[in-house]
Amino acid sequence: MKHSSRLCGLVASTLFIPTITHATIVEFVTSQGNVRVNLHDETTPKTVENFLNYVADGDYNDSLIHRVETNFVIQGGGFKYQDDAFNFGFIDTDDAVVNEPVWSNVKGTIAMAKLSGNANSATSQWFFNMADNSTNLDVQNGGFTVFGQVVEEDLPVLETINGLTRCNNSFGATPMVNYTGEQCTSGEAPGYENFVTIYSVDIIDDTIVTDSALSKTPNTLIDEDNAPQPDTSSGGGSLLWLLLCSFFGLSRFKR
C-alpha cells in the first residue's frame, strides 16, 4: 500500500510488499545518459526488494534528481516535475524497510536515504555516493544501506550530473540543465527540460547474483549492537514523519 508523502501523521513501519521479481542489474534511463547498477540481491535482500517494488510500480518514471551535494551525493527517488519552477510532486511511498548496513558507502555505490535518528526509515529515496563517504555514512544513523554498485563505464554520467549548476530551494541543491546561476538567483522559472529527469528504471538482467565478481567493500565500521533501533511508539514515529514533511525529506544525512 502506498502512502502519500503529504500524510505527515503516518508512522514508519518495517513491513513491505512480497517480492515481485529478482533483478541483479537495473538501468537508470536519464536525460543525461544511462546508468547501470548491479543490485546486491543476496546480501541486502529486503532493501533490493523494496527498491524493485517501486521500479515495478513505475514510481521512478519521470522522477527528478532533486539534490546534488558536489563530490558527496546525488539524490533522487522522492519527487516528480509537477509545474513550472520548483513546485515538485511527491512520490507515494510504501512502508519503511529494515536497515541492512552490510556494504560500505564508497564512491560508485547506491544507498538508501532515510530519516535522521531512525535507522529503519528508508522508503523510496536513494542516493549515489560520489566520493568515499565511508567514515561518515557507514556509521551515521545506524549506517546507510548500500544495495548496489554502479557499472564503472557509466560513472561519467554521474560525474556530469555532479558538475551541473545547482539551484538551492526547499528540496535541496537541485542540479539544472541549460540554466545558469544568474537565472537561479533572479527567480526565473525553469521548465521540465531544465531538470535532470529519470525517465525510467528498467530491469536489464534478472539473473540471480551477477555481483559476485564485483570488488565490493564491506562496512567494517558499523557496530550493529549499538545501531539505533526502530522507533515503535506512535508519538515518536509521528514526530519523525512531521520532521520529514517539514524538511521535504531532504535532511536525511550530513556530510
Side-chain angles (χ1 to χ4, degrees), residues 173-226:
T174 302
M176 308 300 296
V177 180
N178 296 324
Y179 192 83
T180 66
E182 289 75 14
Q183 288 174 298
C184 289
T185 55
S186 70
E188 179 180 335
Y192 175 79
E193 70 280 1
N194 297 124
F195 293 98
V196 178
T197 302
I198 298 170
Y199 299 128
S200 65
V201 180
D202 304 321
I203 297 170
I204 61 173
D205 188 342
D206 61 1
T207 305
I208 302 302
V209 192
T210 61
D211 69 345
S212 58
L214 296 177
S215 178
K216 302 187 291 290
T217 304
N219 181 348
T220 60
L221 300 178
I222 190 70
D223 181 353
E224 294 186 8
D225 292 334
N226 296 322

Short mmCIF file of all heavy atoms in Angstrom, two decimals, residues 173-226:
data_model
loop_
_atom_site.label_atom_id
_atom_site.label_comp_id
_atom_site.label_asym_id
_atom_site.label_seq_id
_atom_site.Cartn_x
_atom_site.Cartn_y
_atom_site.Cartn_z
N ALA A 173 19.76 21.27 -3.09
CA ALA A 173 20.53 21.92 -4.15
C ALA A 173 20.27 21.15 -5.43
O ALA A 173 20.93 20.15 -5.72
CB ALA A 173 22.01 21.94 -3.79
N THR A 174 19.31 21.59 -6.21
CA THR A 174 18.82 20.85 -7.36
C THR A 174 19.68 21.12 -8.59
O THR A 174 19.90 22.29 -8.95
CB THR A 174 17.36 21.23 -7.67
OG1 THR A 174 16.55 20.97 -6.52
CG2 THR A 174 16.83 20.44 -8.85
N PRO A 175 20.18 20.06 -9.25
CA PRO A 175 21.00 20.26 -10.46
C PRO A 175 20.15 20.73 -11.63
O PRO A 175 19.02 20.27 -11.81
CB PRO A 175 21.58 18.87 -10.72
CG PRO A 175 20.55 17.93 -10.15
CD PRO A 175 20.00 18.64 -8.94
N MET A 176 20.69 21.66 -12.40
CA MET A 176 19.95 22.27 -13.50
C MET A 176 20.69 22.10 -14.82
O MET A 176 21.93 22.11 -14.86
CB MET A 176 19.73 23.75 -13.22
CG MET A 176 19.12 24.06 -11.85
SD MET A 176 17.49 23.30 -11.59
CE MET A 176 16.52 24.13 -12.83
N VAL A 177 19.92 21.98 -15.90
CA VAL A 177 20.47 21.81 -17.25
C VAL A 177 20.15 23.05 -18.08
O VAL A 177 18.99 23.49 -18.13
CB VAL A 177 19.87 20.56 -17.92
CG1 VAL A 177 20.43 20.38 -19.33
CG2 VAL A 177 20.12 19.31 -17.07
N ASN A 178 21.18 23.63 -18.72
CA ASN A 178 20.98 24.84 -19.52
C ASN A 178 20.24 25.92 -18.73
O ASN A 178 19.30 26.56 -19.23
CB ASN A 178 20.22 24.50 -20.81
CG ASN A 178 21.00 23.57 -21.72
OD1 ASN A 178 22.22 23.65 -21.81
ND2 ASN A 178 20.29 22.65 -22.36
N TYR A 179 20.69 26.11 -17.53
CA TYR A 179 20.06 27.06 -16.62
C TYR A 179 21.16 27.58 -15.71
O TYR A 179 21.82 26.81 -15.01
CB TYR A 179 18.97 26.34 -15.81
CG TYR A 179 18.03 27.24 -15.04
CD1 TYR A 179 16.93 27.82 -15.65
CD2 TYR A 179 18.23 27.48 -13.68
CE1 TYR A 179 16.05 28.63 -14.95
CE2 TYR A 179 17.36 28.29 -12.97
CZ TYR A 179 16.26 28.85 -13.61
OH TYR A 179 15.40 29.65 -12.90
N THR A 180 21.38 28.89 -15.72
CA THR A 180 22.55 29.46 -15.08
C THR A 180 22.31 29.83 -13.62
O THR A 180 21.15 29.90 -13.17
CB THR A 180 23.00 30.73 -15.82
OG1 THR A 180 21.98 31.73 -15.69
CG2 THR A 180 23.24 30.43 -17.29
N GLY A 181 23.40 30.09 -12.93
CA GLY A 181 23.29 30.56 -11.56
C GLY A 181 22.56 31.88 -11.48
O GLY A 181 21.82 32.15 -10.51
N GLU A 182 22.75 32.74 -12.48
CA GLU A 182 22.05 34.02 -12.52
C GLU A 182 20.54 33.82 -12.63
O GLU A 182 19.74 34.53 -12.01
CB GLU A 182 22.54 34.86 -13.69
CG GLU A 182 23.95 35.41 -13.54
CD GLU A 182 25.04 34.36 -13.75
OE1 GLU A 182 24.71 33.26 -14.28
OE2 GLU A 182 26.19 34.62 -13.38
N GLN A 183 20.14 32.82 -13.42
CA GLN A 183 18.71 32.52 -13.53
C GLN A 183 18.16 32.00 -12.21
O GLN A 183 17.01 32.27 -11.85
CB GLN A 183 18.48 31.50 -14.65
CG GLN A 183 18.67 32.08 -16.05
CD GLN A 183 18.58 31.01 -17.12
OE1 GLN A 183 19.38 30.09 -17.16
NE2 GLN A 183 17.60 31.16 -18.02
N CYS A 184 18.97 31.24 -11.49
CA CYS A 184 18.56 30.75 -10.16
C CYS A 184 18.24 31.91 -9.24
O CYS A 184 17.20 31.94 -8.58
CB CYS A 184 19.66 29.90 -9.54
SG CYS A 184 19.92 28.28 -10.28
N THR A 185 19.17 32.86 -9.17
CA THR A 185 19.02 33.97 -8.22
C THR A 185 17.97 34.99 -8.68
O THR A 185 17.38 35.67 -7.85
CB THR A 185 20.36 34.69 -8.02
OG1 THR A 185 20.89 35.12 -9.29
CG2 THR A 185 21.37 33.75 -7.38
N SER A 186 17.73 35.07 -9.99
CA SER A 186 16.74 36.03 -10.48
C SER A 186 15.31 35.55 -10.27
O SER A 186 14.36 36.34 -10.38
CB SER A 186 16.97 36.30 -11.97
OG SER A 186 16.62 35.15 -12.75
N GLY A 187 15.15 34.27 -10.01
CA GLY A 187 13.81 33.73 -9.81
C GLY A 187 13.12 33.33 -11.09
O GLY A 187 11.92 33.03 -11.09
N GLU A 188 13.86 33.29 -12.20
CA GLU A 188 13.26 32.86 -13.47
C GLU A 188 12.83 31.40 -13.37
O GLU A 188 13.60 30.53 -12.98
CB GLU A 188 14.28 33.03 -14.60
CG GLU A 188 13.76 32.59 -15.95
CD GLU A 188 14.80 32.77 -17.04
OE1 GLU A 188 15.71 33.62 -16.89
OE2 GLU A 188 14.72 32.04 -18.05
N ALA A 189 11.59 31.14 -13.72
CA ALA A 189 11.03 29.80 -13.54
C ALA A 189 11.62 28.82 -14.56
O ALA A 189 11.53 29.06 -15.76
CB ALA A 189 9.52 29.83 -13.68
N PRO A 190 12.22 27.71 -14.09
CA PRO A 190 12.72 26.69 -15.02
C PRO A 190 11.57 25.83 -15.54
O PRO A 190 10.52 25.74 -14.91
CB PRO A 190 13.67 25.87 -14.15
CG PRO A 190 13.08 25.98 -12.77
CD PRO A 190 12.50 27.38 -12.69
N GLY A 191 11.81 25.18 -16.67
CA GLY A 191 10.82 24.25 -17.22
C GLY A 191 11.29 22.82 -17.05
O GLY A 191 12.37 22.54 -16.53
N TYR A 192 10.47 21.91 -17.53
CA TYR A 192 10.77 20.48 -17.42
C TYR A 192 12.14 20.14 -17.97
O TYR A 192 12.88 19.34 -17.42
CB TYR A 192 9.68 19.71 -18.16
CG TYR A 192 9.89 18.21 -18.25
CD1 TYR A 192 9.60 17.38 -17.17
CD2 TYR A 192 10.36 17.63 -19.43
CE1 TYR A 192 9.77 16.00 -17.26
CE2 TYR A 192 10.53 16.26 -19.53
CZ TYR A 192 10.25 15.45 -18.44
OH TYR A 192 10.44 14.10 -18.53
N GLU A 193 12.49 20.79 -19.10
CA GLU A 193 13.75 20.48 -19.78
C GLU A 193 14.98 20.93 -18.99
O GLU A 193 16.10 20.53 -19.32
CB GLU A 193 13.76 21.13 -21.17
CG GLU A 193 13.87 22.64 -21.16
CD GLU A 193 12.56 23.37 -20.89
OE1 GLU A 193 11.52 22.68 -20.68
OE2 GLU A 193 12.56 24.62 -20.90
N ASN A 194 14.79 21.74 -17.97
CA ASN A 194 15.92 22.24 -17.19
C ASN A 194 16.30 21.34 -16.02
O ASN A 194 17.28 21.63 -15.31
CB ASN A 194 15.62 23.65 -16.66
CG ASN A 194 15.44 24.66 -17.76
OD1 ASN A 194 14.42 25.34 -17.84
ND2 ASN A 194 16.43 24.76 -18.65
N PHE A 195 15.55 20.27 -15.80
CA PHE A 195 15.83 19.37 -14.69
C PHE A 195 16.47 18.07 -15.18
O PHE A 195 16.33 17.69 -16.35
CB PHE A 195 14.54 19.05 -13.92
CG PHE A 195 13.96 20.24 -13.21
CD1 PHE A 195 12.93 20.97 -13.77
CD2 PHE A 195 14.45 20.63 -11.97
CE1 PHE A 195 12.39 22.06 -13.13
CE2 PHE A 195 13.93 21.72 -11.31
CZ PHE A 195 12.89 22.44 -11.88
N VAL A 196 17.17 17.41 -14.30
CA VAL A 196 17.71 16.08 -14.60
C VAL A 196 16.59 15.07 -14.30
O VAL A 196 16.20 14.88 -13.15
CB VAL A 196 18.95 15.76 -13.75
CG1 VAL A 196 19.44 14.34 -14.07
CG2 VAL A 196 20.06 16.78 -14.02
N THR A 197 16.08 14.48 -15.36
CA THR A 197 14.93 13.59 -15.25
C THR A 197 15.35 12.13 -15.38
O THR A 197 16.18 11.78 -16.22
CB THR A 197 13.91 13.91 -16.36
OG1 THR A 197 13.51 15.28 -16.25
CG2 THR A 197 12.68 13.03 -16.24
N ILE A 198 14.77 11.30 -14.55
CA ILE A 198 14.90 9.85 -14.69
C ILE A 198 13.65 9.38 -15.42
O ILE A 198 12.56 9.35 -14.87
CB ILE A 198 15.02 9.16 -13.32
CG1 ILE A 198 16.27 9.65 -12.60
CG2 ILE A 198 15.04 7.64 -13.47
CD1 ILE A 198 16.36 9.21 -11.16
N TYR A 199 13.82 9.06 -16.70
CA TYR A 199 12.67 8.65 -17.50
C TYR A 199 12.12 7.31 -17.03
O TYR A 199 10.91 7.09 -17.01
CB TYR A 199 13.06 8.57 -18.98
CG TYR A 199 13.52 9.88 -19.56
CD1 TYR A 199 14.74 9.97 -20.24
CD2 TYR A 199 12.75 11.04 -19.44
CE1 TYR A 199 15.16 11.18 -20.80
CE2 TYR A 199 13.18 12.25 -19.98
CZ TYR A 199 14.39 12.31 -20.65
OH TYR A 199 14.81 13.50 -21.19
N SER A 200 13.01 6.41 -16.66
CA SER A 200 12.58 5.09 -16.17
C SER A 200 13.75 4.40 -15.48
O SER A 200 14.91 4.78 -15.67
CB SER A 200 12.05 4.21 -17.31
OG SER A 200 13.10 3.91 -18.23
N VAL A 201 13.42 3.40 -14.68
CA VAL A 201 14.42 2.46 -14.16
C VAL A 201 13.98 1.08 -14.64
O VAL A 201 12.90 0.61 -14.29
CB VAL A 201 14.51 2.50 -12.62
CG1 VAL A 201 15.56 1.51 -12.13
CG2 VAL A 201 14.83 3.91 -12.12
N ASP A 202 14.82 0.45 -15.46
CA ASP A 202 14.44 -0.80 -16.13
C ASP A 202 15.32 -1.96 -15.68
O ASP A 202 16.53 -1.80 -15.46
CB ASP A 202 14.59 -0.64 -17.65
CG ASP A 202 13.79 0.52 -18.19
OD1 ASP A 202 12.65 0.72 -17.72
OD2 ASP A 202 14.29 1.22 -19.09
N ILE A 203 14.72 -3.12 -15.54
CA ILE A 203 15.46 -4.35 -15.26
C ILE A 203 16.05 -4.84 -16.58
O ILE A 203 15.32 -5.11 -17.53
CB ILE A 203 14.54 -5.43 -14.66
CG1 ILE A 203 13.99 -4.96 -13.31
CG2 ILE A 203 15.29 -6.75 -14.51
CD1 ILE A 203 12.89 -5.86 -12.77
N ILE A 204 17.37 -4.95 -16.65
CA ILE A 204 18.00 -5.39 -17.90
C ILE A 204 18.68 -6.75 -17.76
O ILE A 204 19.11 -7.34 -18.74
CB ILE A 204 19.02 -4.36 -18.42
CG1 ILE A 204 20.15 -4.12 -17.41
CG2 ILE A 204 18.31 -3.05 -18.76
CD1 ILE A 204 21.26 -3.24 -17.98
N ASP A 205 18.79 -7.25 -16.53
CA ASP A 205 19.34 -8.59 -16.31
C ASP A 205 18.76 -9.11 -15.02
O ASP A 205 19.06 -8.60 -13.94
CB ASP A 205 20.87 -8.54 -16.22
CG ASP A 205 21.51 -9.93 -16.18
OD1 ASP A 205 20.79 -10.91 -15.89
OD2 ASP A 205 22.72 -10.03 -16.43
N ASP A 206 17.88 -10.13 -15.12
CA ASP A 206 17.26 -10.68 -13.92
C ASP A 206 17.92 -11.97 -13.46
O ASP A 206 17.36 -12.74 -12.69
CB ASP A 206 15.76 -10.89 -14.12
CG ASP A 206 15.44 -11.87 -15.23
OD1 ASP A 206 16.38 -12.41 -15.85
OD2 ASP A 206 14.25 -12.11 -15.48
N THR A 207 19.15 -12.20 -13.94
CA THR A 207 19.91 -13.36 -13.47
C THR A 207 20.25 -13.17 -11.99
O THR A 207 20.67 -12.10 -11.58
CB THR A 207 21.23 -13.50 -14.26
OG1 THR A 207 20.92 -13.56 -15.65
CG2 THR A 207 21.99 -14.75 -13.84
N ILE A 208 20.05 -14.20 -11.21
CA ILE A 208 20.37 -14.09 -9.78
C ILE A 208 21.88 -14.03 -9.62
O ILE A 208 22.62 -14.85 -10.15
CB ILE A 208 19.79 -15.29 -8.99
CG1 ILE A 208 18.27 -15.36 -9.20
CG2 ILE A 208 20.12 -15.17 -7.52
CD1 ILE A 208 17.52 -14.12 -8.78
N VAL A 209 22.33 -13.08 -8.87
CA VAL A 209 23.73 -12.91 -8.48
C VAL A 209 24.66 -12.69 -9.67
O VAL A 209 25.32 -13.61 -10.14
CB VAL A 209 24.25 -14.10 -7.63
CG1 VAL A 209 25.59 -13.73 -7.01
CG2 VAL A 209 23.27 -14.48 -6.55
N THR A 210 24.70 -11.47 -10.15
CA THR A 210 25.73 -11.10 -11.11
C THR A 210 26.74 -10.14 -10.47
O THR A 210 27.59 -9.59 -11.15
CB THR A 210 25.14 -10.41 -12.35
OG1 THR A 210 24.47 -9.21 -11.95
CG2 THR A 210 24.19 -11.33 -13.08
N ASP A 211 26.63 -9.97 -9.14
CA ASP A 211 27.56 -9.08 -8.45
C ASP A 211 28.71 -9.84 -7.81
O ASP A 211 29.56 -9.25 -7.15
CB ASP A 211 26.84 -8.24 -7.40
CG ASP A 211 26.35 -9.08 -6.21
OD1 ASP A 211 26.30 -10.32 -6.34
OD2 ASP A 211 26.03 -8.49 -5.18
N SER A 212 28.75 -11.16 -8.00
CA SER A 212 29.75 -11.97 -7.31
C SER A 212 31.17 -11.63 -7.73
O SER A 212 32.11 -11.79 -6.94
CB SER A 212 29.49 -13.46 -7.55
OG SER A 212 29.50 -13.74 -8.94
N ALA A 213 31.36 -11.14 -8.95
CA ALA A 213 32.70 -10.82 -9.44
C ALA A 213 33.11 -9.38 -9.12
O ALA A 213 34.24 -8.99 -9.39
CB ALA A 213 32.79 -11.06 -10.94
N LEU A 214 32.19 -8.61 -8.53
CA LEU A 214 32.49 -7.22 -8.23
C LEU A 214 33.44 -7.12 -7.04
O LEU A 214 33.45 -7.96 -6.15
CB LEU A 214 31.21 -6.45 -7.90
CG LEU A 214 30.18 -6.31 -9.01
CD1 LEU A 214 28.96 -5.57 -8.49
CD2 LEU A 214 30.77 -5.59 -10.21
N SER A 215 34.21 -6.05 -7.03
CA SER A 215 35.07 -5.77 -5.89
C SER A 215 34.27 -4.91 -4.91
O SER A 215 34.22 -3.69 -5.02
CB SER A 215 36.33 -5.02 -6.34
OG SER A 215 37.14 -4.69 -5.23
N LYS A 216 33.60 -5.55 -3.97
CA LYS A 216 32.73 -4.87 -3.02
C LYS A 216 33.50 -4.57 -1.73
O LYS A 216 34.32 -5.36 -1.30
CB LYS A 216 31.49 -5.71 -2.73
CG LYS A 216 30.67 -6.03 -3.98
CD LYS A 216 29.37 -6.73 -3.65
CE LYS A 216 29.56 -8.13 -3.13
NZ LYS A 216 30.02 -9.05 -4.19
N THR A 217 33.18 -3.45 -1.10
CA THR A 217 33.84 -3.05 0.13
C THR A 217 32.90 -3.24 1.31
O THR A 217 31.87 -2.55 1.40
CB THR A 217 34.28 -1.58 0.06
OG1 THR A 217 35.10 -1.39 -1.09
CG2 THR A 217 35.05 -1.18 1.32
N PRO A 218 33.21 -4.14 2.24
CA PRO A 218 32.33 -4.35 3.40
C PRO A 218 32.33 -3.13 4.32
O PRO A 218 33.30 -2.39 4.41
CB PRO A 218 32.96 -5.56 4.10
CG PRO A 218 33.85 -6.18 3.09
CD PRO A 218 34.33 -5.07 2.21
N ASN A 219 31.21 -2.95 4.99
CA ASN A 219 31.13 -1.94 6.04
C ASN A 219 31.71 -2.55 7.32
O ASN A 219 31.05 -3.33 8.00
CB ASN A 219 29.68 -1.52 6.26
CG ASN A 219 29.53 -0.43 7.31
OD1 ASN A 219 30.48 -0.13 8.05
ND2 ASN A 219 28.35 0.16 7.39
N THR A 220 32.93 -2.19 7.62
CA THR A 220 33.61 -2.74 8.81
C THR A 220 33.54 -1.77 9.98
O THR A 220 34.04 -2.09 11.07
CB THR A 220 35.09 -3.04 8.49
OG1 THR A 220 35.74 -1.82 8.09
CG2 THR A 220 35.21 -4.07 7.39
N LEU A 221 32.91 -0.61 9.77
CA LEU A 221 32.89 0.41 10.82
C LEU A 221 31.66 0.33 11.71
O LEU A 221 31.68 0.77 12.85
CB LEU A 221 32.95 1.80 10.19
CG LEU A 221 34.18 2.10 9.34
CD1 LEU A 221 34.08 3.50 8.73
CD2 LEU A 221 35.45 1.97 10.15
N ILE A 222 30.58 -0.23 11.17
CA ILE A 222 29.32 -0.26 11.92
C ILE A 222 29.38 -1.26 13.05
O ILE A 222 29.90 -2.37 12.93
CB ILE A 222 28.14 -0.58 10.99
CG1 ILE A 222 26.80 -0.37 11.69
CG2 ILE A 222 28.22 -2.00 10.45
CD1 ILE A 222 26.48 1.07 11.94
N ASP A 223 28.87 -0.87 14.20
CA ASP A 223 28.72 -1.76 15.34
C ASP A 223 27.24 -2.03 15.49
O ASP A 223 26.50 -1.23 16.05
CB ASP A 223 29.29 -1.11 16.61
CG ASP A 223 29.18 -2.01 17.85
OD1 ASP A 223 28.56 -3.09 17.74
OD2 ASP A 223 29.71 -1.62 18.90
N GLU A 224 26.79 -3.16 14.96
CA GLU A 224 25.37 -3.43 14.92
C GLU A 224 24.74 -3.51 16.30
O GLU A 224 23.56 -3.24 16.48
CB GLU A 224 25.11 -4.72 14.14
CG GLU A 224 25.47 -4.60 12.66
CD GLU A 224 25.09 -5.83 11.87
OE1 GLU A 224 24.41 -6.70 12.44
OE2 GLU A 224 25.47 -5.92 10.70
N ASP A 225 25.51 -3.88 17.31
CA ASP A 225 24.96 -3.95 18.66
C ASP A 225 24.56 -2.57 19.17
O ASP A 225 23.69 -2.43 20.02
CB ASP A 225 25.99 -4.56 19.63
CG ASP A 225 26.23 -6.03 19.34
OD1 ASP A 225 25.33 -6.67 18.78
OD2 ASP A 225 27.32 -6.53 19.68
N ASN A 226 25.22 -1.52 18.64
CA ASN A 226 24.94 -0.16 19.08
C ASN A 226 24.14 0.64 18.06
O ASN A 226 23.94 1.83 18.24
CB ASN A 226 26.25 0.58 19.37
CG ASN A 226 27.01 -0.05 20.53
OD1 ASN A 226 26.40 -0.49 21.50
ND2 ASN A 226 28.32 -0.10 20.43
#
